[in-house]
Amino acid sequence: MKKFIDSPSTLLATSLQGFARAHADIVHLHTQPCFICRNERKQGKVAVISGGGSGHEPLHAGFVGYGMLDAACPGQIFTSPTPDQMLAAAEAVEGSGGVLFIVKNYAGDVMNFEMAAEMLDKPNASVLVDDDVSLPKTHDIGRRGVAGTTIVEKIVGAAAEAGYDLAACKALGERVVAATASMGVALTSCTVPALGKPTFTLADDEMEMGVGIHGERGRQTSRLLGATAIVEQLADQVLDELKPASGQAVLLHINGFGGTPLVELHLMYELAWQYCQQHGLEVRRSLVGSFTTSLDMAGCSLTLTLLDDELLSLWDAPVNTAALRWGC
Amino acid sequence: MKKFIDSPSTLLATSLQGFARAHADIVHLHTQPCFICRNERKQGKVAVISGGGSGHEPLHAGFVGYGMLDAACPGQIFTSPTPDQMLAAAEAVEGSGGVLFIVKNYAGDVMNFEMAAEMLDKPNASVLVDDDVSLPKTHDIGRRGVAGTTIVEKIVGAAAEAGYDLAACKALGERVVAATASMGVALTSCTVPALGKPTFTLADDEMEMGVGIHGERGRQTSRLLGATAIVEQLADQVLDELKPASGQAVLLHINGFGGTPLVELHLMYELAWQYCQQHGLEVRRSLVGSFTTSLDMAGCSLTLTLLDDELLSLWDAPVNTAALRWGC
């Protein structure tokens, strides 16, 4: 296993400590139970909390800060956090406005966030993110939450900061989820530290279309195509889901999975932008970089969110987190 | 070759177009000759220009913007830009304060920036960055410029924005270079697109200490060690160079080479922070992420800069670029 690591059992705790220390101006780390918490919070606002298995950094801890999340609960690598983490985080950051949980659609996450919500003695609600269109809507546990999560957390976080109440934050979050679709492709698998070897293998001339963010196989192993052809496959699937009107304003997000460098992500972005042009979409906002990763997987995903004036203005609102920062 | 690419001959131009488009609020792209240029510049300030071979993104184009660079000249992958690029960039952004070129110490870059400086009919000066301590000072072409370049560009860029004149910017840059040392380690080589295969190979239980940022072999191939032992080797070498006094304030930068995910970089940061504590150094500022990359290489480098009040305040000054953004 080619990783910077002392032991799989200490990797996460040490890494989180480093994260919190490097960003001590914005966040701090609670242990037992473990969560990352914003240093400064406005009384009365809705507390926005997310979390999930680790290995997707900077998601979610990198999004804790002004204008985005109030707390994030990291589970072990690719493993849901536990309800006691979510409960403790909620009690720490709730400021009389109630708590909104943003939950990626995985069975463990959904179950544990539901348990925390039941135990929490404060008004609360949840938004389920299921933006991955590589699985059919009829899939038995539904679609996975992937890179669109960043967009949901940014827009809902801005709304909470602006004073939206709990019901309005929940309704907005569900509106963003409905307006967002993602599709990913992998060039390599990833190596889970405790396993010590790649989860699956691909030949040198193969790629895996329709992957999620947990090193699982995707929808189809196929021959490695050129970048333009890959973008077309990803974007076709996304457009088939969103069915945007001609002239629709969109946010285009190219997300790297951890092992793909920026020079390739900006290439994919340009090709995706050209695709959008050809399909009559107006790219009004962009996000390019590795935000929802799958450890060291080489690959990327393409996400579109249909924008209206409200979503655009909330996307543009100031944010000050480790991973997203503007206007502050 | 497992990359998102249509052809090695179009990768860079398309990627740069994507970069400029995704960050059109901050920069624009000039072609023929090629450079990335800031949208808004203050008249009278020193124009700060850098550049070098591509494949190190976000360096340098990602550092163009308020408080950092005025322009960046990207060469082909791992190949120096040409003097006509630097000359055109300088003429485009010079605003009566003269031009400071920040040059990483590679023979081609040095030669081409010198030619541009000679051709430029405006006051100009250069700062040479040679922070890589894996080579001895007596090496025939001197030491390489690596991840410390980010720190030099941030601090000098802030000084230019604050009104330092050309001589003061040059002197400051040289002071930052003298206060900065870096050492890197690779777990894999990288694949140059035109070559199509890794530049060198390492066995599963090997690492390469003392690598630069061009996929070249390093000082020594050795057995892959645990993260703590790797940090010790890197930091020992850096401290041996800088010889800081006890209690010295430092900036600690853990830089990823492109294929190493954040979870590992934050682990390395925490271990490096603990090392600094044990060696009586006070880590006052931190930077963790992939800023000076080597395409898809898995690996990282450790950089320390000795801080004083002036450097600290210039580091903290507002910056608004694609890759570094705070206070704006």
Side-chain angles (χ1 to χ4, degrees), chain A residues 2 6 15 206 228 263 328, chain B residues 2 6 15 187 206 228 263 328:
Chain A
K2 292 229 131 170
D6 284 315
S15 180
E206 287 178 343
T228 300
V263 66
C328 279
Chain B
K2 292 230 131 170
D6 284 315
S15 180
L187 303 185
E206 286 178 344
T228 300
V263 66
C328 279

Side-chain angles (χ1 to χ4, degrees), chain A residues 175-200:
Chain A
R175 204 156 75 73
V176 180
V177 171
T180 300
S182 301
M183 175 90 176
V185 58
L187 304 185
T188 69
S189 179
C190 63
T191 298
V192 177
L195 189 62
K197 57 177 188 183
T199 312
F200 63 90

Side-chain angles (χ1 to χ4, degrees), chain B residues 203-217:
Chain B
D204 278 355
D205 61 348
E206 286 178 344
M207 63 181 185
E208 189 79 10
M209 283 299 288
V211 290
I213 53 174
H214 294 92
E216 67 273 50
R217 289 212 87 103

